[in-house]
Amino acid sequence: YKDAGFELEKDLVPVAMTGSTPGLFTVIATHPAGNLRELMALAKSSGKPIAYATPGLGTSSHLAAEYLFGMLAGIPSNHIPFKGGAPATTAVLGGQVELLSASLGGALPFIKQGKMKALAVSSLTRLEDMPNVPTVAESGYPEYEASNWHGIAVPAKTPKEIVAALHTATVAAVKKPEIA
């Protein structure tokens, strides 16, 4: 945004990180690539740009894909932004777009149903729920990591003792099994 109405580093003070969510690269189940390494090889041999869907322009999923294809792999790509994860997922399931770059939550049900294949996760380590899905780093791009992180911040003028109390309470809460 040209003018968000505040300056992040000047107007806010971080309290605590509450979690992170990896991204995921997926294709329709009938796609010939079984993993990200195979998709990249197909893209290089075809000479066609990879068309990928995301939940929107400038989202973390968009930036994660641009980082991978444009900066690391040097593979031409065609970003197809949608207005949310559901329409992007639908476009890939319907065969209108080749690849989905999105968060885990929206694609996981379709992966479990066998309608989509997970090619790679964007975290540095494999996921407990999908131990057979390699990371992007394992797929030939060792410097790659892209995850969404979530946290709490307060106005910079918040008294330090309140920030400290919020930090302590937040850290204690996210350690609880029912929240973690």
Side-chain angles (χ1 to χ4, degrees):
Y1 298 103
K2 288 182 181 179
D3 182 12
F6 66 94
E7 292 181 41
L8 183 67
E9 293 178 9
K10 178 180 158 199
D11 296 335
L12 295 175
V13 172
V15 172
M17 188 167 132
T18 57
S20 66
T21 308
L24 190 63
F25 292 101
T26 63
V27 291
I28 192 167
T30 56
H31 195 285
N35 56 50
L36 185 64
R37 194 179 297 270
E38 290 176 11
L39 178 76
M40 297 303 214
L42 286 170
K44 287 178 181 177
S45 67
S46 76
K48 295 186 319 185
I50 293 176
Y52 68 93
T54 69
L57 186 64
T59 61
S60 57
S61 299
H62 173 209
L63 300 176
E66 285 296 323
Y67 174 49
L68 175 61
F69 301 128
M71 296 177 75
L72 295 181
I75 293 175
S77 62
N78 185 15
H79 177 224
I80 314 293
F82 286 84
K83 292 184 178 181
T89 302
T90 301
V92 173
L93 286 168
Q96 290 88 32
V97 183
E98 182 176 13
L99 176 77
L100 175 67
S101 173
S103 65
L104 178 65
L108 189 58
F110 299 105
I111 294 165
K112 287 183 176 181
Q113 293 168 12
K115 294 179 180 177
M116 294 184 97
K117 291 190 264 194
L119 300 182
V121 294
S122 67
S123 54
L124 287 177
T125 58
R126 291 187 182 206
L127 303 179
E128 253 182 63
D129 291 345
M130 297 188 303
N132 296 326
V133 178
T135 66
V136 174
E138 290 175 306
S139 302
Y141 304 93
E143 62 276 25
Y144 186 90
E145 180 194 14
S147 294
N148 295 321
W149 61 268
H150 313 276
I152 297 174
V154 295
K157 294 180 181 178
T158 304
K160 290 183 187 318
E161 56 276 358
I162 292 176
V163 174
L166 288 170
H167 173 79
T168 300
T170 302
V171 169
V174 297
K175 285 183 179 178
K176 292 181 178 182
E178 64 271 21
I179 293 176

